[in-house]
């Protein structure tokens, strides 16, 4: 009754057992398949791929798992095929057995998720905006690739760091404000965005704009802090330059006014 394809083959690749689930996949009677090989069921390139995987299982004499994309009665589908050596009563390998499960939807979902992650990473890199998350229970900080770059570090996908290590990446003068800002955020207070500087780890000290929010679990207990960080160095330098020019103009106006 299994919907998975369950089968056994001899050393020549001819089917010995072919389950009803397997027969439904190719829309052929199960009793017609024993004695046939994969060239009778699939296009030549797919049959060759299946046969290569089968030979590898027999040569290595162990169970292997493969993703096999095949033409079926429902169109092209992706299967997770687990295959192992089939032995007789004396332990001699006489073929192989296998179970194949349709994972097309799962594969599609994973591909969609990876594409979304890639698009998000590309968007963050273009906008110079990174995302971050702090696990409150462990104190570990997780960053997006762009966040690592903004702090002058190479991206380390999947790697987390402690909050203390994160603070060490900041300009010493801005560390107390970051501690106060994080504590207030953890307490559930609405905090304004925080401007701070990084240490010149890669030779560049950047001005960053941090935004954070607190998330709670179903019981109302603080669970994690999430937020974004944005590179505002150019904006900050431009603002400082404008302030300098304004101050200079104000001095000139004051001097001219005094002369009059």
């Amino acid at each position: 009754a299994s919907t998975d394809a369950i089968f056994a083959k001899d050393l020549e690749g001819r089917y010995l057992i072919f389950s009803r689930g397997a027969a439904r996949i190719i829309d052929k009677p199960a009793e017609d398949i024993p004695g046939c090989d994969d060239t009778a069921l699939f296009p030549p390139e797919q049959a060759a791929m299946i046969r290569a995987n089968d030979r590898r299982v027999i040569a290595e004499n162990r169970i292997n798992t493969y993703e096999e994309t095949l033409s079926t009665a429902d169109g092209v589908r992706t299967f997770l095929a687990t295959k192992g050596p089939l032995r007789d009563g004396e332990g001699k390998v006489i073929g192989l057995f296998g179970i194949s499960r349709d994972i097309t939807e799962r594969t599609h979902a994973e591909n969609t998720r990876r594409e979304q992650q890639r698009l998000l990473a590309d968007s963050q890199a273009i906008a110079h905006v990174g995302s971050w998350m702090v696990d409150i229970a462990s104190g570990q900080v997780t960053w997006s690739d762009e966040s690592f770059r903004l702090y002058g570090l190479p991206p380390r996908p999947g790697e987390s760091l402690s909050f203390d290590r994160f603070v060490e990446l900041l300009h010493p003068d801005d560390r107390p404000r970051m501690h106060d800002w994080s504590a207030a955020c953890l307490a559930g207070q609405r905090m304004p965005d925080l401007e701070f500087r990084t240490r010149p780890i890669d030779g560049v000290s950047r001005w960053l704009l941090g935004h954070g929010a607190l998330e709670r679990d179903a019981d109302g207990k603080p669970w994690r802090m999430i937020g974004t960080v944005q590179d505002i160095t150019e904006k900050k330098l431009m603002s400082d330059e404008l302030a300098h020019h304004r101050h200079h103009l104000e001095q000139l106006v004051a001097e001219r006014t005094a002369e009059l």
Side-chain angles (χ1 to χ4, degrees), residues 110-123:
E110 290 175 350
N111 290 338
T112 300
R113 178 180 57 82
R114 282 194 291 267
E115 178 64 12
Q116 290 174 340
Q117 289 178 335
R118 185 189 67 80
L119 291 174
L120 177 61
D122 289 347
S123 299

Side-chain angles (χ1 to χ4, degrees), residues 1 3 21 56 63 86 89 118 121 145 154 165 206 251:
T3 58
R56 194 172 298 117
I63 296 174
L86 185 66
R118 185 189 67 80
D145 287 354
R165 169 58 178 148
R206 298 174 179 85
Q251 284 185 321

Side-chain angles (χ1 to χ4, degrees), residues 58-178:
I58 293 173
E60 296 177 359
N61 195 24
R62 64 186 180 90
I63 296 174
N64 282 327
T65 300
Y66 307 95
E67 282 194 15
E68 298 177 342
T69 300
L70 305 171
S71 299
T72 73
D74 296 320
V76 177
R77 310 289 291 180
T78 300
F79 295 87
L80 189 66
T82 299
K83 304 178 182 182
L86 185 66
R87 299 179 175 86
D88 62 13
E90 299 177 353
K92 180 182 178 181
V93 176
I94 59 172
L96 63 84
F97 68 90
I99 302 176
S100 292
R101 174 163 295 179
D102 190 336
I103 59 167
T104 305
E105 279 70 29
R106 189 182 81 183
T107 301
H108 177 71
E110 290 175 350
N111 290 338
T112 300
R113 178 180 57 82
R114 282 194 291 267
E115 178 64 12
Q116 290 174 340
Q117 289 178 335
R118 185 189 67 80
L119 291 174
L120 177 61
D122 289 347
S123 299
Q124 289 188 353
I126 292 171
H128 298 296
V129 175
S131 57
W132 53 268
M133 186 272 289
V134 179
D135 183 274
I136 294 175
S138 66
Q140 293 297 299
V141 182
T142 303
W143 282 346
S144 67
D145 287 354
E146 185 62 17
S147 288
F148 278 102
R149 296 189 189 98
L150 293 178
Y151 287 93
L153 299 172
R156 301 168 186 170
E159 183 175 328
S160 60
L161 62 160
S162 67
F163 184 78
D164 289 340
R165 169 58 178 148
F166 155 64
V167 173
E168 289 176 359
L169 300 175
L170 307 184
H171 190 285
D173 292 345
D174 293 340
R175 292 173 188 173
R177 291 194 300 118
M178 177 59 72

